[in-house]
Amino acid sequence: MRLTKQSVTLLYLSSCTIFANLLFLYGFFSFGYNDSRTSMPNDIPSTIRPNQNDSEPWRFDTRRLYHKSVNKVVLMVIDGIRYDFFTESEYNVNMPFTTDLIKQNRSCLFRTRVNAPTVTMPRIKALTTGTVPNFIDLVLNLDSSAVQQDSIIYQARAANKQVIFYGDETWLKLFPNSFVRHDGTTSFYISDYTEVDNNVTRHLENELKPTADWDIMILHYLGLDHIGHTGGPRSKLMPNKLSEMDNIIRRIVNYMDSEKSELPSVLIVCGDHGMRDNGGHGGSSTGEVVVPLFVYFKNKKCGGYIKEEIMQTDFVPSISVIMGLPIPSSSTGKLINKILQNLNINEILFAYHYNSQQMYTNYISKKGLLNKAFMKDYDNAILYYYDWLKRETISINQAHSVISLYESALSGMSNYIIGSIAKFDVFLIIVSIVLSIQVWLLLVDFDAVNIQFIKVSRLVYLMLIRWAVCVWLQCDSVLCEFTATFNLLASVIITMFIINLGSFGWPISSLIRLEISDFNNNNLFYVLPGSFIHVLSLFSSSYIEEEHQLLYHLWAGFSALQVYKTFILHSYTTTAKWILSMILHRICKNLNTIGNQSSGVYSLGDWFRESQNQIYLTILMVVGLCCIFYASINIHRVIKNNKRFNILSAIIFVLYFWTLCSVYMYRVETKEVAVPYGYNILKLTFSLHSWTIAWYLLIGCHTFLVIKQTNRNNNKFNSAVCSIIILLILRLSLLLRPHNILVPAVLVYTCKLLQFKIWNTLTTTTLHYWLSLMFFFYQGNSNSVGTLDIVPGYIGQTSYNPVVAGIHIFTHTYGLPILVYLFLVLDQKFSGLQTLCMLNVTQSCVYNLVILLFRNHLFIWSVFSPKLLYIVMFTSTTYVFSALIIILLTLCGTSTKKELEI
């Protein structure tokens, strides 16, 4: 079949939208830190003078003031550990040895704040380089490449220190050929809580011998984080894991206490990031961004619980000083005073002076102003330090005053440098927004669009205008880089701009053509203001965090309106259906608690996951699987398209039953639901391997059914879409958490309620669009990256395959919205698809404007940026989905009429 003009137009606009989104991401996120400098030993200051006119600078004895003050350093990173695991009795009762060390002031516990995104790779960069990684590192987290910046690992190797590592293999990817001995463990087997840590601990027997030849030992434990992903901080597995970590700390401390070296060794225990109250990480909740930093020196008092908060980046200059290493050049960290306790007052003052000078170099390179209050503190600190050095009598009080001034200057310079790291390509951002708005206008008046070929002369004129603007404004945008790559990029952008500009009809005309009947039944009067409020809420960080609440209220209001209308029309059966829908949606809403306002709130899903409530979770899962089985049979009736029962239908029904039984048995194997009678036989029959076989057999059966359909009344297209719906529901039944298994059945029930209403396409599509977002939230997702569930990515994998894991995670995250889209095109065909694209790009356009206006907002990285990634992913998913449906419509030769009943 030949593609129609409308299909080609929608495919083109889809391509424009995805291209505009990629341009926006490239312009908004900084893709690299350009500092390629490396600190050298001669960067350590050798003189000090209060001003350039001073003829007598003070010369330091650098070797005496800056040297190694510890014997060995053990850095123990416990992935995902929270600060309250060390402070709250609910958790630290499982860590008696560590808790006693803190209470006896034999160690220090610092409250440490980390920056978003709270995922492993960026946090390791922060721990080793002292910089704040770019937010785009969140996307690159699964594909770590070697660190190009200066780091304590590089400085240690340059100073011939022996560095060894055991644990998360991310370190080996970031710092290749940097460890004299190492053994990496993969972080991707989320269900592995023991072997992944035992593989680290088994090396301690050899490394904690008196003859061990290392200077720095890094241990990165993953098991606690894996427990957090699957069960959260209150998982029944957590006490044993905390006890295991406590025993390892005891073992290392005992080794240090038995050492006979002149210098003490130091144990530092920290988290790369924390953990959400409901498990997982990646966002900016308190549990995710506040982690412990535990420090133990042999035979030294430290201070116990330290009230003041430090930054994770402060670790880098502090560890550099006690190891006598140059501070990494791009570090934004400040010295932690308590860690310098082995130094005398002269050495501490010199360390602060060195840290301040290193920070000052970065501050000036970022074009920082010298007239700031903290820069005056910096000048005064140098002046008072110089005076202190020239005095014969040592004044401890004056020394502490100098330290206070240095700390004030360091804080101010650090905050400025961190704030200046993000570099926005505003020109590219504006261009991408203009392209998106053009697409939106074309989608609004889609029927009037007439794509025209462009004239080469116009392209040349606009390329010349681009050159003139770049030269005149002296813009540093990539669009003003006249290389072959960026000239090609500019040519593509200008070509799209010309095509779009020449294709406009009159957008207001489509709004005038809205069906009057829809105004009469009040639905459009509700839907249009609701959509406007939803889009308007994107301008508020609080509403972004609680977007699900707004959608719940919009849908509840619409459902109540339907109950009222059907009741006064005496359609009591339909009234009962809408009331049941409201009850089911309320249950779905309570299954998972998301949003900052509900952080830590005990949800219905939490109750089901309690070990004592396993029987109730089992009942819920059985009911959910039965509902999915019934829905699949009901939808299959559409594919079959006749009432006769044949052998193929019987085989298909058996395969439905087989896949769902295999899902149940898989959850039995993971000990989430109760063990059924005849478990051993059922285990052999309904294995996860048999689920895969049955699901692929169903693909073959459904393909055969679609092919043999006639093309009468859109049967072939309807059968194809229904087949995809069934296969996707069965796939989701395997990927969804057991307490969410009822959600797909509620989705099918709700979409069925929306069919065959005398509503115009805009109303119907808007309602489906709301539903797609609501069911995204129902399964526990939110606008925070921390709620992204990566556990489904590893179901059934015996070896790590990033492609399979990515497909599973994507299907789990966006499978329910795609199901809603499938029901929409089943009902509305091409017109619904076009309107869906228009609604999606509306949200994308508005939000891109929000990001442009609020790019310097306090919550730009913690709130607005994660939402941007979700919107881009939603938009891309919608347009890829549109392309596939257009291909399917073309192959099936389908009209745009709606005439199907499920």
Side-chain angles (χ1 to χ4, degrees):
M1 298 296 294
R2 192 164 56 89
L3 284 172
T4 63
K5 175 185 173 182
Q6 287 188 325
S7 298
V8 172
T9 302
L10 191 56
L11 285 174
Y12 165 74
L13 294 178
S14 301
S15 302
C16 285
T17 302
I18 294 175
F19 182 70
N21 282 334
L22 292 176
L23 289 179
F24 188 92
L25 290 178
Y26 193 92
F28 178 70
F29 290 116
S30 180
F31 278 79
Y33 194 88
N34 296 324
D35 193 350
S36 58
R37 295 173 298 137
T38 301
S39 292
M40 304 297 290
N42 56 15
D43 291 329
I44 301 171
S46 58
T47 61
I48 180 176
R49 63 177 73 195
N51 55 67
Q52 295 297 324
N53 297 325
D54 198 301
S55 58
E56 297 183 5
W58 181 274
R59 299 190 179 278
F60 293 113
D61 184 353
T62 307
R63 292 187 177 182
R64 183 178 65 84
L65 292 174
Y66 198 81
H67 55 81
K68 180 180 179 181
S69 61
V70 294
N71 180 35
K72 294 183 177 181
V73 176
V74 178
L75 174 60
M76 180 177 172
V77 180
I78 305 177
D79 206 299
I81 197 163
R82 292 159 49 121
Y83 178 75
D84 56 7
F85 283 3
F86 281 78
T87 59
E88 298 295 329
S89 58
E90 177 185 0
Y91 303 109
N92 67 16
V93 67
N94 302 301
M95 304 180 72
F97 178 77
T98 307
T99 303
D100 287 343
L101 286 179
I102 299 170
K103 289 180 179 178
Q104 296 168 14
N105 290 338
R106 294 177 60 198
S107 65
C108 293
L109 180 68
F110 298 92
R111 177 185 171 94
T112 310
R113 184 165 294 273
V114 306
N115 298 95
T118 49
V119 291
T120 297
M121 187 266 283
R123 304 277 51 85
I124 293 176
K125 283 186 177 180
L127 274 172
T128 54
T129 65
T131 61
V132 179
N134 300 313
F135 197 88
I136 198 64
D137 282 327
L138 170 68
V139 180
L140 305 177
N141 186 53
L142 298 178
D143 185 25
S144 307
S145 56
V147 171
Q148 302 299 321
Q149 296 165 253
D150 195 6
S151 67
I152 54 175
I153 304 296
Y154 173 83
Q155 292 296 339
R157 294 294 295 147
N160 295 319
K161 303 295 183 184
Q162 301 294 300
V163 186
I164 61 176
F165 170 77
Y166 302 106
D168 187 349
E169 63 183 8
T170 303
W171 287 78
L172 303 179
K173 297 176 182 177
L174 294 175
F175 306 103
N177 305 317
S178 296
F179 306 107
V180 293
R181 291 188 299 280
H182 59 82
D183 186 11
T185 56
T186 180
S187 61
F188 294 108
Y189 294 110
I190 302 298
S191 59
D192 178 10
Y193 316 128
T194 54
E195 291 302 318
V196 72
D197 286 346
N198 291 341
N199 193 54
V200 179
T201 306
R202 67 187 176 89
H203 294 283
L204 293 182
E205 183 176 354
N206 291 326
E207 302 297 355
L208 297 183
K209 290 180 178 179
T211 57
D213 60 349
W214 51 269
D215 296 294
I216 302 175
M217 177 167 68
I218 302 172
L219 309 170
H220 190 139
Y221 285 92
L222 290 164
L224 186 140
D225 180 62
H226 290 185
I227 293 172
H229 277 293
T230 55
R234 293 181 175 83
S235 168
K236 60 183 179 181
L237 301 172
M238 194 63 75
N240 288 337
K241 181 54 65 175
L242 290 174
S243 178
E244 178 187 344
M245 296 296 102
D246 188 58
N247 288 330
I248 293 168
I249 293 172
R250 180 200 300 268
R251 190 172 173 181
I252 296 172
V253 167
N254 290 339
Y255 160 76
M256 289 181 170
D257 289 345
S258 65
E259 281 186 317
K260 296 181 181 179
S261 61
E262 294 182 6
L263 296 175
S265 293
V266 59
L267 167 65
I268 300 173
V269 182
C270 64
D272 54 344
H273 53 74
M275 185 186 302
R276 290 177 62 246
D277 292 334
N278 296 323
H281 56 87
S284 55
S285 67
T286 301
E288 294 167 274
V289 300
V290 178
V291 300
L293 181 69
F294 170 91
V295 181
Y296 173 82
F297 286 95
K298 174 187 174 181
N299 299 327
K300 294 282 185 179
K301 293 288 184 180
C302 190
Y305 295 99
I306 308 298
K307 293 182 179 179
E308 60 208 62
E309 188 173 88
I310 63 173
M311 298 300 294
Q312 189 178 48
T313 51
D314 296 343
F315 168 82
V316 171
S318 305
I319 200 70
S320 298
V321 167
I322 65 175
M323 287 294 293
L325 301 173
I327 298 174
S329 60
S330 54
S331 170
T332 61
K334 312 177 294 293
L335 287 172
I336 305 171
N337 199 293
K338 287 287 184 181
I339 292 184
L340 308 181
Q341 58 176 306
N342 291 327
L343 309 182
N344 60 43
I345 191 65
N346 288 286
E347 294 167 339
I348 292 174
L349 278 169
F350 181 78
Y352 270 99
H353 176 68
Y354 174 28
N355 188 196
S356 299
Q357 189 178 82
Q358 172 263 329
M359 192 82 76
Y360 176 80
T361 302
N362 285 340
Y363 180 77
I364 294 301
S365 69
K366 297 293 182 182
K367 301 179 181 179
L369 300 177
L370 298 179
N371 59 354
K372 297 290 185 180
F374 57 82
M375 292 308 297
K376 294 180 181 178
D377 288 339
Y378 174 70
D379 293 335
N380 289 332
I382 293 177
L383 177 63
Y384 295 154
Y385 183 32
Y386 180 80
D387 290 341
W388 188 87
L389 289 168
K390 296 190 74 172
R391 291 187 180 187
E392 295 182 0
T393 57
I394 295 176
S395 170
I396 298 298
N397 289 334
Q398 186 179 0
H400 287 308
S401 298
V402 173
I403 290 173
S404 296
L405 288 170
Y406 272 129
E407 287 179 335
S408 172
L410 283 167
S411 295
M413 288 188 286
S414 176
N415 292 336
Y416 175 84
I417 294 169
I418 291 172
S420 65
I421 286 177
K423 293 295 183 183
F424 306 112
D425 191 334
V426 177
F427 188 25
L428 188 62
I429 288 174
I430 292 174
V431 167
S432 69
I433 291 174
V434 170
L435 280 176
S436 296
I437 293 174
Q438 285 184 326
V439 171
W440 179 78
L441 290 171
L442 292 170
L443 285 168
V444 168
D445 201 23
F446 188 77
D447 292 335
V449 173
N450 185 22
I451 301 295
Q452 302 286 340
F453 289 104
I454 68 168
K455 295 181 178 180
V456 177
S457 58
R458 294 180 181 179
L459 177 61
V460 173
Y461 292 152
L462 286 178
M463 290 291 285
L464 290 174
I465 291 173
R466 166 213 171 203
W467 175 82
V469 170
C470 290
V471 172
W472 178 46
L473 297 179
Q474 295 183 345
C475 183
D476 58 356
S477 169
V478 296
L479 293 180
C480 292
E481 294 183 17
F482 295 96
T483 62
T485 301
F486 291 111
N487 281 333
L488 178 61
L489 176 65
S491 299
V492 173
I493 293 172
I494 292 173
T495 300
M496 287 185 171
F497 180 82
I498 295 172
I499 292 174
N500 296 342
L501 199 62
S503 305
F504 286 127
W506 180 240
I508 306 301
S509 61
S510 61
L511 297 178
I512 298 174
R513 291 195 298 268
L514 288 173
E515 296 176 18
I516 303 301
S517 60
D518 209 63
F519 284 94
N520 293 335
N521 63 27
N522 296 323
N523 287 323
L524 196 59
F525 278 132
Y526 183 88
V527 167
L528 284 181
S531 297
F532 178 75
I533 293 171
H534 180 218
V535 170
L536 197 63
S537 69
L538 298 175
F539 285 85
S540 167
S541 61
S542 297
Y543 275 105
I544 289 173
E545 291 175 323
E546 305 296 329
E547 182 183 6
H548 54 284
Q549 298 285 5
L550 175 60
L551 288 165
Y552 295 156
H553 284 91
L554 287 174
W555 182 257
F558 177 79
S559 299
L561 182 63
Q562 301 313 304
V563 169
Y564 169 75
K565 289 170 61 177
T566 54
F567 183 79
I568 62 174
L569 294 173
H570 306 292
S571 181
Y572 300 122
T573 302
T574 307
T575 301
K577 289 180 179 180
W578 277 104
I579 292 174
L580 177 59
S581 172
M582 295 178 72
I583 295 172
L584 291 173
H585 278 262
R586 181 64 183 181
I587 293 172
C588 290
K589 176 182 180 294
N590 289 339
L591 283 175
N592 300 283
T593 302
I594 58 176
N596 279 0
Q597 291 184 356
S598 303
S599 179
V601 174
Y602 195 70
S603 68
L604 190 58
D606 294 328
W607 183 83
F608 276 117
R609 285 194 296 266
E610 294 284 351
S611 56
Q612 66 269 22
N613 298 324
Q614 188 184 65
I615 186 62
Y616 299 108
L617 179 60
T618 303
I619 294 171
L620 176 67
M621 187 166 188
V622 170
V623 171
L625 292 174
C626 289
C627 291
I628 290 174
F629 182 65
Y630 173 78
S632 299
I633 293 175
N634 195 23
I635 297 172
H636 174 77
R637 287 174 48 245
V638 178
I639 307 172
K640 188 166 172 284
N641 203 30
N642 60 63
K643 303 299 181 182
R644 290 182 298 172
F645 189 78
N646 53 32
I647 296 177
L648 182 59
S649 294
I651 293 173
I652 288 175
F653 292 167
V654 169
L655 290 174
Y656 291 164
F657 181 78
W658 198 288
T659 56
L660 296 175
C661 285
S662 299
V663 168
Y664 179 80
M665 290 308 299
Y666 169 74
R667 295 301 174 181
V668 172
E669 287 292 302
T670 58
K671 301 179 181 179
E672 294 172 271
V673 297
V675 178
Y677 291 108
Y679 166 70
N680 291 328
I681 297 176
L682 292 173
K683 177 182 177 182
L684 294 174
T685 307
F686 301 113
S687 64
L688 197 56
H689 182 65
S690 70
W691 182 95
T692 304
I693 295 173
W695 194 72
Y696 282 108
L697 285 174
L698 279 172
I699 292 178
C701 292
H702 279 286
T703 303
F704 175 76
L705 284 174
V706 172
I707 291 174
K708 79 171 198 174
Q709 286 283 357
T710 64
N711 208 23
R712 182 184 177 189
N713 296 328
N714 297 328
N715 287 338
K716 191 178 288 290
F717 175 78
N718 296 338
S719 297
V721 173
C722 288
S723 296
I724 296 172
I725 289 173
I726 293 172
L727 292 169
L728 183 54
I729 290 176
L730 295 175
R731 169 67 70 170
L732 285 169
S733 68
L734 176 66
L735 300 179
L736 288 171
R737 299 291 183 116
H739 67 278
N740 286 333
I741 201 68
L742 192 63
V743 176
V746 176
L747 184 153
V748 173
Y749 178 82
T750 307
C751 290
K752 183 178 177 180
L753 268 180
L754 293 180
Q755 287 185 323
F756 316 114
K757 309 302 177 186
I758 309 177
W759 301 334
N760 73 350
T761 301
L762 178 60
T763 300
T764 303
T765 308
T766 302
L767 293 173
H768 280 84
Y769 181 63
W770 288 357
L771 279 178
S772 69
L773 295 174
M774 285 173 56
F775 279 98
F776 171 80
F777 293 127
Y778 279 159
Q779 67 185 90
N781 296 312
S782 73
N783 288 326
S784 167
V785 182
T787 57
L788 183 65
D789 193 352
I790 64 173
V791 175
Y794 311 100
I795 292 176
Q797 289 205 65
T798 55
S799 61
Y800 175 63
N801 187 326
V803 175
V804 174
I807 292 172
H808 282 189
I809 295 171
F810 173 82
T811 304
H812 174 265
T813 306
Y814 295 99
L816 293 178
I818 290 173
L819 271 178
V820 176
Y821 294 167
L822 287 167
F823 277 103
L824 172 65
V825 297
L826 200 60
D827 183 35
Q828 294 289 324
K829 303 297 187 295
F830 184 86
S831 59
L833 192 63
Q834 174 258 317
T835 309
L836 174 66
C837 292
M838 185 267 290
L839 292 174
N840 207 290
V841 81
T842 300
Q843 187 184 43
S844 179
C845 283
V846 172
Y847 197 72
N848 287 349
L849 285 169
V850 170
I851 291 288
L852 176 62
L853 295 174
F854 293 170
R855 62 187 182 277
N856 296 316
H857 194 281
L858 180 63
F859 299 137
I860 187 64
W861 301 118
S862 58
V863 177
F864 290 100
S865 294
K867 173 63 176 176
L868 173 64
L869 294 178
Y870 277 115
I871 283 184
V872 169
M873 198 64 201
F874 253 111
T875 305
S876 300
T877 300
T878 301
Y879 284 97
V880 171
F881 170 83
S882 302
L884 294 176
I885 293 299
I886 287 171
I887 293 172
L888 197 59
L889 284 166
T890 304
L891 291 175
C892 297
T894 306
S895 69
T896 59
K897 297 179 181 178
K898 55 173 185 175
E899 42 184 276
L900 177 67
E901 181 176 2
I902 294 181

